[in-house]
Amino acid sequence: MTEKPPLDSNEDRAWLGEGQSQTQLTSITPDLRAETSDEDRPAWDSKIQYVLAQVGFSVGLGNVWRFPYLCHQNGGGAFMLLYVFLLLIVGVPLFFMELAAGQSIRQGSIGVWKHISPKLAGIGYSSCMVCFYVALYYNVIIAWSLFYMGNSFQYPLPWEQCPIDVTTNDTVKECASSSPTSYFWFRKALNITNSIQESGEFNPIMTGCLLAAWAIVSLAMIKGIKSSAKVMYFSSVFPYVVLFIFLIRGLMLDGAIDGITYMFYPKLEIWGNVQVWRQAATQVFFALGLGYGSVIAYSSYNPVNNNCHRDALMVSCINFMTSVLASLVVFVVLGFRAKNIALRCVAENLGILNLMMSTESKQHLVPPGWPWINTTDPSSMSLDVYREWYAHHGAMVGLNITDCSLEKEMNKGVEGTGLAFIAFTEVMALFPASPFWSTLFFLMLLNLGLSTMFGTMQGILTPLMDNFSLLGRHRTLLTVASCVLGFLLGLLFTQRSGNYFVTMFDDYSATLPLVIVVIFETISVAWVYGTDRFLDDIEVMLNWRPPVVYKYLWKYVCLLAMVGLLAASLLRMVFKGPTYTAWNQSTASEMTLEYPGWAFAMIVMLIVFASLPVPILYIHSMWKNRRLHDDHSEEAASQEVHRELYTKCSSNEQLDSNSHHQVPSDEDGNHPRITFLPIGSEHYRLLPQQEEEDEEEDTGL
């Protein structure tokens, strides 16, 4: 690989104030760089492999269970318009910046930012730390998908009905008070405790599933991108096949159109809510995988003249369209679920009315002018007819008869594990051939998780192998050792309270550190290296210059947006306080609890440890430069001693030519070779010929 000169780290240079470095990332033509590039560095076999890898990493579980929820809670179509706006002015420019930096320098996240300035090497290490955090808990979600997929190969599905308590020969109370799907998730799958303070023993089944998940990741990545890219052909494409199958099947369900209408109905007033902007920016940020280092790692295996600008637009567009497709599927299914719940409500109310009117002993309780309705055939009663009847006569029939609202059920927003492992499992139990649909759904979740997991691990392994030659020579051993370490630390999430730790890591371990990382990335490119020079380098790579609008987006818009997001996230964390949702076994319901003191300290440590490499390596680089400066000062002082031997020589003095005209050789020390030229009868001047020659060679121009 061609070695390019890093930013001059001389302490006298105001590297942050100058706005640009003294070197260029790309100092030779693409053809020459291709010839002189490191032959040992892996490369993608084809462009389709690379695109599938980038799409597979950026399109993950968040597209399926986070974006639809945000759209549902924040104004439907209005939130989508806000999301597209932020995607265009913040997401795409930052994504393009990471792609171009990785492709130009051909290093992982550590090497890229270290190359721009040694003071910024901590950015790459912070990215690796966050990737490691995410890998720990993300593979637990893959383990949950494996568990549910394994339980899908039976009929009826184990979460279709409540189990019977053998001691009382009655339905288990916890299940009867909640639902079969909730009971299976919280009791059978997780066997969860009532709070994070009750750790409980390890869940042996989930521990086995986690081991299987790490084994899959290890086998798929054991040969680097050569092996993982082949898996990507299936893991990146298969989820789209399943989503389209579910969409077609879902459109045939009763209530599907109601769900889609609810999803797209715009509520423009949400644009005045600061929290909605924060949530939209956060979703853009995480949807594209910014700051992880995985985007940089994947692009570093590209040919240097690859059109990374087109890749940035294409992957961002695919990501957004996938989110819309997933939202359609989710709302079609949730519309069907809400319609079923509302119709069951109608049937129950009609049953109560029928009982009140048919019991002879209670005929006298029926007042004159009773609003008669057909109660004998609930299936013939539509939801609209019942709601119209209830609106006119609901006040007359007493508290036992309730309204049955489709909108009320749709307003119960579901996200994350609640959407995948409770709401969706409930709907699939209603499908004909339910085991088939369940297996298909959880196989899709498994592949979505794995493709993102491959990118996350690449964000850890690539920078380490690029910067530590010993690790680079033992790629297989490093991969296996990382997976083993990940499994051992992941045992934290397989105890009975493990789900609460997954929530903690998901909410706090990545958000703030990643925003900090991207802020420093933007500063390093826009203000340290210089946007003009960066665009020059991209022009050399692509043979055309990107629009000048990127210069202002990187320098001002993206930077201010990230700082605003960081401030909003910090303020929300301070004023709202960290909380989590716990499952209470006795009441069979969820409740919101505050984290105990030790858990809050753990949250702070996770954030601090991930962010520390940036200031620590900056300080270390400054200290190293100071020592280097002191060493140069000592060398200069020793040269002054030698100089005194050759100065103030009178023309009348008879000097020995062998001693007074001797030029110090290179063997005398590490300082540059110097010569002496006479100026007058008593003064001499030092001429650093070697230093001037070196400076001319270092320009690279």
Side-chain angles (χ1 to χ4, degrees):
M1 191 187 75
T2 303
E3 292 294 334
K4 299 177 279 292
L7 185 71
D8 187 2
S9 59
N10 193 327
E11 203 168 34
D12 293 333
R13 187 182 306 279
W15 63 274
L16 201 57
E18 291 294 330
Q20 45 180 272
S21 74
Q22 300 301 310
T23 62
Q24 284 182 288
L25 295 176
T26 310
S27 56
I28 52 180
T29 62
D31 294 338
L32 183 57
R33 284 184 61 168
E35 293 174 4
T36 59
S37 62
D38 186 3
E39 296 179 357
D40 293 333
R41 188 169 187 81
W44 302 105
D45 290 339
S46 63
K47 182 62 177 285
I48 188 66
Q49 264 191 5
Y50 165 68
V51 172
L52 287 177
Q54 287 285 20
V55 169
F57 169 67
S58 64
V59 175
L61 296 172
N63 296 74
V64 174
W65 68 29
R66 181 64 180 167
F67 182 87
Y69 170 79
L70 292 174
C71 187
H72 170 271
Q73 293 293 100
N74 297 312
F79 179 82
M80 283 194 178
L81 292 175
L82 178 60
Y83 180 87
V84 171
F85 173 71
L86 292 175
L87 180 68
L88 290 176
I89 68 166
V90 178
V92 171
L94 291 175
F95 192 62
F96 176 41
M97 181 185 76
E98 290 197 356
L99 289 178
Q103 183 172 305
S104 172
I105 302 175
R106 297 181 64 78
Q107 288 277 317
S109 56
I110 297 175
V112 163
W113 309 116
K114 186 178 180 180
H115 176 87
I116 290 179
S117 172
K119 297 184 179 72
L120 301 174
I123 298 175
Y125 287 99
S126 286
S127 294
C128 288
M129 284 290 293
V130 175
C131 278
F132 189 64
Y133 287 164
V134 173
L136 287 178
Y137 78 84
Y138 213 87
N139 229 18
V140 177
I141 302 175
I142 295 175
W144 293 341
S145 301
L146 283 172
F147 173 79
Y148 266 82
M149 191 175 70
N151 279 278
S152 298
F153 292 100
Q154 49 185 305
Y155 186 81
L157 292 171
W159 51 81
E160 283 192 22
Q161 297 177 345
C162 286
I164 302 298
D165 190 341
V166 293
T167 58
T168 61
N169 201 27
D170 198 4
T171 303
V172 174
K173 182 181 177 181
E174 185 181 3
C175 183
S177 301
S178 54
S179 69
T181 52
S182 296
Y183 175 79
F184 187 85
W185 166 242
F186 288 114
R187 192 54 51 212
K188 293 296 183 181
L190 302 178
N191 193 20
I192 200 165
T193 57
N194 289 332
S195 72
I196 196 173
Q197 299 191 73
E198 304 172 27
S199 60
E201 64 277 1
F202 285 107
N203 186 330
I205 298 177
M206 281 303 171
T207 302
C209 291
L210 181 63
L211 178 62
W214 277 111
I216 294 172
V217 172
S218 179
L219 290 173
M221 300 198 65
I222 201 163
K223 296 297 183 183
I225 63 169
K226 293 296 183 183
S227 57
S228 63
K230 292 179 173 59
V231 181
M232 288 287 185
Y233 280 114
F234 179 78
S235 64
S236 296
V237 175
F238 180 74
Y240 289 95
V241 176
V242 176
L243 285 174
F244 276 110
I245 292 174
F246 265 98
L247 180 60
I248 294 170
R249 178 67 181 90
L251 289 173
M252 302 176 185
L253 300 172
D254 186 22
I257 302 303
D258 297 308
I260 294 177
T261 303
Y262 191 90
M263 167 187 167
F264 283 106
Y265 183 78
K267 301 174 185 175
L268 299 179
E269 62 272 11
I270 60 99
W271 287 357
N273 190 332
V274 176
Q275 287 303 316
V276 174
W277 284 78
R278 182 190 65 81
Q279 290 180 330
T282 303
Q283 182 61 22
V284 168
F285 186 80
F286 284 105
L288 295 176
L290 301 173
Y292 285 93
S294 305
V295 173
I296 294 174
Y298 276 157
S299 64
S300 70
Y301 299 122
N302 269 333
V304 81
N305 58 353
N306 173 65
N307 192 339
C308 53
H309 183 259
R310 182 177 58 196
D311 294 342
L313 295 174
M314 178 172 58
V315 173
S316 300
C317 182
I318 292 173
N319 189 293
F320 172 68
M321 295 308 296
T322 305
S323 297
V324 174
L325 174 62
S327 298
L328 284 171
V329 173
V330 167
F331 276 89
V332 161
V333 171
L334 291 183
F336 170 66
R337 174 176 175 262
K339 190 69 173 286
N340 270 273
I341 293 174
L343 289 176
R344 284 203 302 267
C345 170
V346 171
E348 290 173 2
N349 285 327
L350 291 180
I352 296 173
L353 284 171
N354 187 48
L355 185 63
M356 292 175 66
M357 290 185 293
S358 63
T359 305
E360 294 182 4
S361 61
K362 297 184 179 180
Q363 285 290 337
H364 66 282
L365 297 177
V366 179
W370 177 267
W372 295 99
I373 188 173
N374 181 13
T375 60
T376 56
D377 186 14
S379 61
S380 65
M381 179 67 62
S382 71
L383 181 61
D384 292 335
V385 171
Y386 174 81
R387 295 206 67 198
E388 184 180 356
W389 172 86
Y390 184 84
H392 289 91
H393 308 292
M396 298 177 57
V397 296
L399 298 177
N400 289 333
I401 308 302
T402 60
D403 189 14
C404 299
S405 172
L406 180 68
E407 290 77 13
K408 181 181 177 182
E409 293 301 327
M410 288 297 298
N411 279 330
K412 296 177 181 177
V414 188
E415 67 167 327
T417 54
L419 175 65
F421 299 110
I422 297 178
F424 254 81
T425 52
E426 181 181 333
V427 172
M428 286 181 294
L430 302 174
F431 286 1
S434 55
F436 167 76
W437 295 103
S438 180
T439 303
L440 204 61
F441 176 72
F442 288 110
L443 187 59
M444 179 193 73
L445 287 188
L446 177 65
N447 282 276
L448 280 173
L450 283 175
S451 57
T452 301
M453 189 67 187
F454 295 153
T456 304
M457 291 298 293
Q458 206 68 56
I460 302 171
L461 300 176
T462 298
L464 294 178
M465 290 187 293
D466 285 343
N467 284 270
F468 303 99
S469 57
L470 179 63
L471 298 178
R473 291 194 297 269
H474 300 87
R475 180 191 305 270
T476 301
L477 184 60
L478 175 64
T479 303
V480 174
S482 300
C483 291
V484 170
L485 179 62
F487 168 71
L488 294 176
L489 295 178
L491 293 176
L492 170 71
F493 307 105
T494 63
Q495 55 184 339
R496 291 181 58 195
S497 60
N499 184 52
Y500 303 136
F501 288 98
V502 171
T503 303
M504 176 196 293
F505 272 67
D506 188 34
D507 289 343
Y508 301 107
S509 72
T511 306
L512 291 178
L514 277 184
V515 174
I516 293 171
V517 163
V518 174
I519 287 174
F520 278 100
E521 285 183 0
T522 311
I523 290 173
S524 64
V525 168
W527 295 97
V528 177
Y529 186 70
T531 50
D532 289 326
R533 290 182 179 274
F534 193 59
L535 289 172
D536 289 342
D537 298 336
I538 297 174
E539 183 178 8
V540 172
M541 287 196 300
L542 307 184
N543 294 322
W544 63 274
R545 191 176 185 84
V548 72
V549 67
Y550 281 110
K551 171 181 177 179
Y552 301 102
L553 290 175
W554 286 329
K555 291 186 73 171
Y556 305 110
V557 178
C558 294
L559 189 57
L560 290 176
M562 288 296 99
V563 172
L565 179 58
L566 178 63
S569 301
L570 282 172
L571 289 174
R572 183 174 180 271
M573 183 177 175
V574 170
F575 288 109
K576 186 180 178 182
T579 59
Y580 68 102
T581 302
W583 177 259
N584 189 296
Q585 184 175 2
S586 58
T587 61
S589 61
E590 292 182 320
M591 55 185 180
T592 301
L593 300 177
E594 291 186 358
Y595 283 104
W598 62 266
F600 182 77
M602 185 175 177
I603 291 172
V604 173
M605 287 173 60
L606 288 174
I607 296 172
V608 170
F609 284 165
S611 308
L612 268 182
V614 176
I616 285 179
L617 289 181
Y618 175 81
I619 294 171
H620 176 265
S621 179
M622 294 287 289
W623 174 76
K624 190 176 179 181
N625 290 340
R626 174 74 66 179
R627 287 190 58 187
L628 198 61
H629 182 267
D630 293 342
D631 290 343
H632 288 166
S633 298
E634 291 177 3
E635 289 183 6
S638 66
Q639 289 175 5
E640 275 301 312
V641 174
H642 287 290
R643 186 172 183 270
E644 289 297 327
L645 297 176
Y646 298 98
T647 56
K648 290 195 179 284
C649 297
S650 171
S651 58
N652 297 326
E653 294 179 90
Q654 300 298 319
L655 301 175
D656 184 1
S657 61
N658 292 331
S659 61
H660 296 296
H661 294 280
Q662 182 181 358
V663 178
S665 65
D666 290 340
E667 288 78 6
D668 291 338
N670 295 327
H671 51 275
R673 178 177 177 267
I674 56 176
T675 58
F676 298 92
L677 298 177
I679 298 177
S681 60
E682 295 184 350
H683 299 283
Y684 292 86
R685 185 180 66 182
L686 296 175
L687 183 64
Q689 292 179 339
Q690 185 68 32
E691 291 180 359
E692 290 182 356
E693 292 173 2
D694 290 342
E695 288 177 0
E696 292 177 357
E697 293 175 359
D698 286 344
T699 59
L701 299 176

